[in-house]
Amino acid sequence: MTAEAHGSTAELLQLAHSVGDDYTIPGRWYTDPDFARIEEERLFRHGWQFAGFTSQVAETGDYFTCRAWHIPVIVVRASPDALNAFANVCRHRGSLIVEEPANQYETASCHGNRRSLQCMYHGWTYGLDGSLRAAPGLAKESGLDTEELGLWPVQVDTWGPLVFVNPDPNAGPLAETLAELPGLVDALGIDLHGLLKPHGWRSYAFDSNWKISVDNFLECYHCAINHPALVEQLDMDRLWCDNSYDTFLWLGFKVKSSSIDVVGDAYAGVIWPNFAIGLFPGEGFAHTNLFVADGIERSIQYRAYCFAETVSDEIAEENMDFMDQVVSEDQPLCARVQQGVRSGLFDQGYVMDKNNERSIGAFHRYLARELAASEPAESPAQQPQAALAGAGPESSPA
């Protein structure tokens, strides 16, 4: 039963104070199951989600699985010029077609190479364009229109080596979500293809709502107390945040010389609502971050650590170990916030330091705007099969 059926949507979205400049979103937005359903319907079923890297689908027939929030998706290279994505759901009985690995975000290689996609349950077989090609006993079924039984298409597009998917066939192009971000990165002279080479994949579990994990990632107001080693490497007086964009946040900071040889300017682009990319161009280091709900009060941060070919394995491991330490310091902080908002006493918090928390203000302003304005998107099951164009040309806004 949806939140609308409970008649609670208006109540859940009601705000005592305006969100963004001074006040945060309400505590109930981190704990209420009905609100989680509103989020899924209004944010994630029509939003672009990070899926993986083009290196995972370099050759025709290469594929990998991912999730568009909670919708299982297959991304497949149909030809040198065509990258396709489909719901990883068989049209026969709803089984997953391709088995998902235990942790599909922890491999830098493709999950395999296939000439077709065959369901493991009853053997229904689909082409790389998503069309139904064969099924046991299909010839005996008179009047069955196989053209109507192709895989449900999912939009797919790329930004440089990054692959994104969107389950809503009517959603705007990826370029609208990225907006000026590719231009900002290009202006720095960063070669994403050279920098974003996955080296190590980690997943971090948080005992908190996914938005609390994002909140924590966005600000360094807590760093002085909780991240002493990190603060030693940051010039805390030279952190800046450009929150003037509607679909993303652009952050910058100065990194001092350190034992892990990271020196110079660093940047982060946060694409609303749950993906971030950190760029350390001077040292050939970057990382991607995907924040995903694992229930109402638990979330997982999937991170891919990327290094240019000039970075040694030793330096790469030191960087990843250091980031592991920082995340391990963040995990109990987020758990404590979840315990506090669960009390029901916390309504709307205060955006304290505009230099360090205005990033949270931008995130919460985005959430309030999108959740109040959006209508629930079509699910893949409601999409017309005429949308099964399948092999559209691969494009890149960058």
Side-chain angles (χ1 to χ4, degrees), residues 52-116:
F53 294 84
T54 55
S55 58
Q56 296 173 260
V57 281
E59 304 295 332
T60 298
D62 285 353
Y63 72 94
F64 66 84
T65 60
C66 62
R67 292 260 170 160
W69 200 237
H70 298 309
I71 296 176
V73 173
I74 308 169
V75 177
V76 60
R77 174 69 64 183
S79 73
D81 299 321
L83 191 62
N84 292 343
F86 308 100
N88 186 14
V89 179
C90 184
R91 295 297 307 281
H92 173 225
R93 294 270 293 280
S95 169
L96 291 182
I97 297 169
V98 177
E99 180 102 35
E100 295 178 328
N103 193 332
Q104 57 193 307
Y105 294 99
E106 289 193 352
T107 173
S109 62
C110 70
H111 292 328
N113 184 282
R114 294 188 175 196
R115 296 181 180 179
S116 60

Side-chain angles (χ1 to χ4, degrees), residues 113-338:
N113 184 282
R114 294 188 175 196
R115 296 181 180 179
S116 60
L117 302 171
Q118 186 176 67
C119 179
M120 301 174 293
Y121 196 4
H122 295 99
W124 279 40
T125 303
Y126 304 87
L128 301 184
D129 63 351
S131 62
L132 179 62
R133 296 287 179 83
L138 186 62
K140 300 177 182 178
E141 297 293 325
S142 61
L144 185 63
D145 187 353
T146 58
E147 292 186 2
E148 295 294 320
L149 292 174
L151 296 177
W152 289 304
V154 170
Q155 288 201 67
V156 61
D157 206 342
T158 60
W159 171 29
L162 303 176
V163 179
F164 294 82
V165 295
N166 190 325
D168 181 3
N170 300 314
L174 176 63
E176 290 183 359
T177 295
L178 297 178
E180 295 95 334
L181 183 57
L184 294 172
V185 173
D186 289 344
L188 298 172
I190 296 175
D191 173 19
L192 288 182
H193 285 284
L195 183 59
L196 292 180
K197 295 183 179 299
H199 178 92
W201 301 64
R202 307 282 172 88
S203 62
Y204 305 104
F206 284 75
D207 290 324
S208 63
N209 183 271
W210 70 274
K211 295 185 294 300
I212 291 175
S213 300
V214 175
D215 290 344
N216 180 81
F217 179 87
L218 288 174
E219 52 91 357
C220 210
Y221 187 46
H222 71 285
C223 292
I225 297 175
N226 298 283
H227 299 309
L230 178 63
V231 169
E232 287 181 3
Q233 297 172 24
L234 296 179
D235 185 340
M236 297 297 291
D237 294 326
R238 297 182 65 183
L239 308 178
W240 55 264
C241 166
D242 186 346
N243 61 357
S244 63
Y245 304 99
D246 287 336
T247 59
F248 70 92
L249 183 76
W250 186 231
L251 301 166
F253 43 100
K254 190 77 172 180
V255 182
K256 303 174 184 177
S257 61
S258 69
S259 60
I260 59 171
D261 292 337
V262 177
V263 184
D265 293 312
Y267 308 87
V270 184
I271 302 172
W272 305 135
N274 65 326
F275 177 71
I277 179 170
L279 301 168
F280 302 77
E283 292 302 315
F285 170 46
H287 53 78
T288 63
N289 307 269
L290 184 67
F291 301 86
V292 179
D294 185 24
I296 307 300
E297 298 192 356
R298 179 178 164 85
S299 57
I300 301 174
Q301 182 184 158
Y302 295 102
R303 184 174 291 190
Y305 291 102
C306 305
F307 299 91
E309 293 178 351
T310 55
V311 177
S312 69
D313 289 343
E314 180 181 3
I315 294 297
E317 291 298 322
E318 288 181 7
N319 273 266
M320 292 189 293
D321 290 344
F322 180 80
M323 298 308 296
D324 284 347
Q325 175 188 335
V326 174
V327 175
S328 71
E329 294 163 350
D330 280 329
Q331 287 166 316
L333 303 178
C334 293
R336 293 185 194 118
V337 174
Q338 188 67 51

